[in-house]
Amino acid sequence: METIVFTPNTLTVIAPKQQGYEVPVHTVYYNLRLGNRNLTNVGSSTSTSIGTTTLNPGNITFQNPVEVFSIPMFVQNVEVTLGGKIFITFVEPFTLNIGEHTGAITFRCFGKLYELPITYRVIVPKRIKMSPKEVFFCLDKDPIHVDRSTNAHKFEMRLTMQMKSNSLMPTNTIVQTYEYLSYRPVVDVYPGDEINSFFETNYATSYFITRYYATKVQVEIIEYNAQNEIITYGVLHNLYFLPGKTPKAFPFLTNGTKRRIYDRSKIAVSALYNSPDLAHFISKDDGPTAPTIPPIADPNSWENYKVMNWTFERLDVIPSGVVYRETTIDFVSVPMPNGSQNIIHLFFENQNRVMDWFSCVGEVKFTSEFSHLQDETTGQKFGSLETQTLILHTGFILKEEIPLINELIKSNECVIQIGEEFYKAKPISQKNEIYDTEKHLYAMEIEFEIKRNAR
């Protein structure tokens, strides 16, 4: 029986010798030519979690039907579909010895055999260490410790990030690879520094919404020798990352641990869906539209790691006239100053990419600045541009609220509510002017640029 060997390349698969590592199914693509019912190879796309290999058997042609005649011991299953695709599933590498295992898959078609040579290379697994946490904050400097192999010339950190803004949106998968050259025995790498830049801004405001999901990350560390061959591989699965640093009021995502509230203050808090502290806080809302947090059956589900943003009016949840403590936040009730009519509500994105809040009963002043377009030679005017500015005097605030105001000033955008009017604004203050009175109270002025047509 005639045997034809697929040339010129061999399909090479690389996997670490560790239990539980799943080698992906490789797919070799073929094109079924209906004219003469020949099955002609047109190339392939194969990949592993470690590297990418390509297979080009040339222009070997054989007719349907195709039968799998034999497989090597390190191949678990081979399937040939009517659509002209060949799926190859490999055994788990922990069952094999370290080193190269060679063999071939043989197909039979109308009296001819076709061999597909395969090399299955089992490499040393890499042990990488990272202190375990339920959720990581990107900028907390949680390192991965990489013990360098003696023959390692370089290593790569490959991040596979799964990101989603809400339950209705598809998952966005981003893969980034970072290369390191180092000859130190132990190297620390910080995946959070890279992950933090991929979070998107979501300025939507609502009573109870999903702000975003914690990014689900797979971290792979791959070592290479001087010949650029893979020598070790390690992987960490299902790490969850949130943007920024661990907030001072964690599990609530805010640094405002002590803040003033008025009877009609609007308050916004954010936390992970599975946070018992958020569920406890929400249970105090006895209003007709109070949200609920049904438990997720699977405790490891990604749904537990979505960040919820809850906005409510103070009197629906917090009693009037008391200092109220909710886990890590002190709410200090203060009376409305004489002559004050409206509470000014400010909602802004904090360092954890959630809507934070601040309310005051200070004064506001609107100003307009004009720039004119004109010909410098003739002086002829062609038009004018108007920039509207809002200056907010906060009134007296707590000393503990000053860092919160600083974070407001650093935010990219915010929403300001004055009475029934809403303004989309950009903080543009260059400094926070603090006035220390004899009573040790503080006040600040904040300047905003009002976005036109955003009222």
Side-chain angles (χ1 to χ4, degrees):
M1 184 178 294
E2 181 183 1
T3 301
I4 301 175
V5 179
F6 285 28
T7 57
N9 296 328
T10 297
L11 173 60
T12 301
V13 182
I14 305 171
K17 183 181 174 65
Q18 62 187 66
Q19 190 165 3
Y21 176 78
E22 296 180 3
V23 180
V25 176
H26 288 249
T27 308
V28 182
Y29 291 92
Y30 285 80
N31 180 31
L32 181 62
R33 299 197 315 194
L34 298 178
N36 56 11
R37 300 192 60 79
N38 285 345
L39 198 63
T40 303
N41 171 261
V42 292
S44 69
S45 175
T46 60
S47 63
T48 71
S49 289
I50 301 177
T52 298
T53 59
T54 57
L55 171 70
N56 180 15
N59 293 319
I60 301 297
T61 300
F62 50 90
Q63 298 175 318
N64 268 346
V66 179
E67 172 191 356
V68 179
F69 185 72
S70 64
I71 60 176
M73 51 82 68
F74 52 82
V75 171
Q76 181 175 312
N77 183 56
V78 177
E79 178 187 358
V80 181
T81 71
L82 294 177
K85 294 181 180 179
I86 298 175
F87 292 89
I88 307 171
T89 306
F90 298 88
V91 302
E92 286 202 64
F94 80 92
T95 62
L96 303 172
N97 293 327
I98 291 174
E100 287 194 350
H101 303 265
T102 59
I105 299 174
T106 305
F107 304 94
R108 180 164 61 184
C109 181
F110 288 105
K112 292 183 179 180
L113 295 180
Y114 298 85
E115 282 190 358
L116 171 59
I118 297 179
T119 297
Y120 192 53
R121 185 147 60 96
V122 180
I123 62 174
V124 177
K126 185 73 177 174
R127 184 171 180 267
I128 54 180
K129 295 168 285 186
M130 190 175 190
S131 299
K133 289 184 179 180
E134 181 184 20
V135 63
F136 295 89
F137 284 88
C138 289
L139 302 183
D140 274 358
K141 301 301 181 185
D142 289 303
I144 292 177
H145 303 289
V146 181
D147 295 322
R148 177 179 168 271
S149 300
T150 54
N151 59 335
H153 177 68
K154 67 177 182 180
F155 70 90
E156 289 179 346
M157 177 176 68
R158 182 180 300 165
L159 303 178
T160 302
M161 298 169 279
Q162 291 182 284
M163 313 187 84
K164 188 159 62 169
S165 57
N166 59 63
S167 302
L168 301 178
M169 297 296 291
T171 300
N172 181 26
T173 300
I174 301 172
V175 180
Q176 294 285 314
T177 301
Y178 306 89
E179 186 175 291
Y180 302 86
L181 292 173
S182 179
Y183 298 97
R184 290 177 295 170
V186 179
V187 181
D188 289 344
V189 293
Y190 298 88
D193 288 349
E194 313 299 340
I195 299 166
N196 194 69
S197 60
F198 288 95
F199 283 89
E200 296 181 354
T201 296
N202 178 1
Y203 288 113
T205 56
S206 183
Y207 178 54
F208 188 65
I209 64 168
T210 300
R211 182 61 55 183
Y212 56 80
Y213 282 65
T215 295
K216 185 161 60 173
V217 180
Q218 173 180 282
V219 182
E220 298 164 279
I221 299 294
I222 309 155
E223 282 189 308
Y224 296 83
N225 60 19
Q227 290 73 44
N228 208 37
E229 298 172 329
I230 297 173
I231 55 174
T232 68
Y233 171 86
V235 61
L236 296 173
H237 296 285
N238 296 331
L239 306 179
Y240 291 96
F241 281 83
L242 294 175
K245 297 181 179 181
T246 300
K248 295 177 182 178
F250 188 74
F252 297 111
L253 302 182
T254 178
N255 285 322
T257 57
K258 187 174 184 180
R259 48 221 301 178
R260 296 161 303 107
I261 54 174
Y262 303 93
D263 283 353
R264 289 180 287 112
S265 285
K266 288 187 177 180
I267 299 170
V269 295
S270 298
L272 287 172
Y273 185 90
N274 64 355
S275 169
D277 300 277
L278 179 63
H280 177 264
F281 202 176
I282 286 178
S283 68
K284 299 180 182 299
D285 189 345
D286 56 4
T289 59
T292 58
I293 304 183
I296 305 296
D298 179 6
N300 298 317
S301 169
W302 197 10
E303 292 295 314
N304 280 314
Y305 293 90
K306 58 188 178 185
V307 173
M308 305 305 298
N309 184 240
W310 176 40
T311 304
F312 60 92
E313 292 199 9
R314 176 260 175 88
L315 287 180
D316 289 339
V317 181
I318 301 174
S320 179
V322 298
V323 175
Y324 177 82
R325 181 171 181 82
E326 183 64 40
T327 314
T328 53
I329 304 176
D330 286 327
F331 297 95
V332 182
S333 294
V334 293
M336 292 282 287
N338 293 334
S340 298
Q341 298 296 322
N342 290 318
I343 301 176
I344 302 169
H345 309 281
L346 297 98
F347 300 95
F348 62 95
E349 186 186 65
N350 67 18
Q351 56 105 20
N352 297 122
R353 299 287 180 92
V354 296
M355 277 298 183
D356 214 327
W357 64 280
F358 171 75
S359 59
C360 64
V361 290
E363 299 176 348
V364 294
K365 180 174 65 174
F366 290 92
T367 62
S368 292
E369 182 176 329
F370 298 89
S371 59
H372 305 288
L373 306 176
Q374 59 186 12
D375 189 298
E376 293 182 358
T377 303
T378 64
Q380 182 180 357
K381 181 178 176 181
F382 299 104
S384 300
L385 299 176
E386 178 185 359
T387 302
Q388 191 174 28
T389 301
L390 184 154
I391 299 176
L392 168 66
H393 189 285
T394 63
F396 292 132
I397 62 175
L398 299 174
K399 181 179 180 180
E400 291 82 359
E401 291 179 295
I402 294 174
L404 189 69
I405 300 297
N406 292 341
E407 195 166 359
L408 163 62
I409 293 173
K410 290 187 289 186
S411 67
N412 294 328
E413 281 190 324
C414 65
V415 176
I416 304 172
Q417 181 184 356
I418 305 173
E420 298 301 320
E421 294 286 338
F422 288 84
Y423 303 88
K424 195 172 183 180
K426 178 174 66 176
I428 57 174
S429 293
Q430 297 295 316
K431 58 182 179 180
N432 56 350
E433 297 187 17
I434 303 173
Y435 304 94
D436 191 354
T437 71
E438 295 179 358
K439 296 182 179 179
H440 299 289
L441 295 175
Y442 299 83
M444 300 173 67
E445 278 193 354
I446 315 170
E447 187 174 355
F448 302 88
E449 180 183 312
I450 300 298
K451 299 232 173 188
R452 302 303 299 270
N453 303 319
R455 291 181 57 172

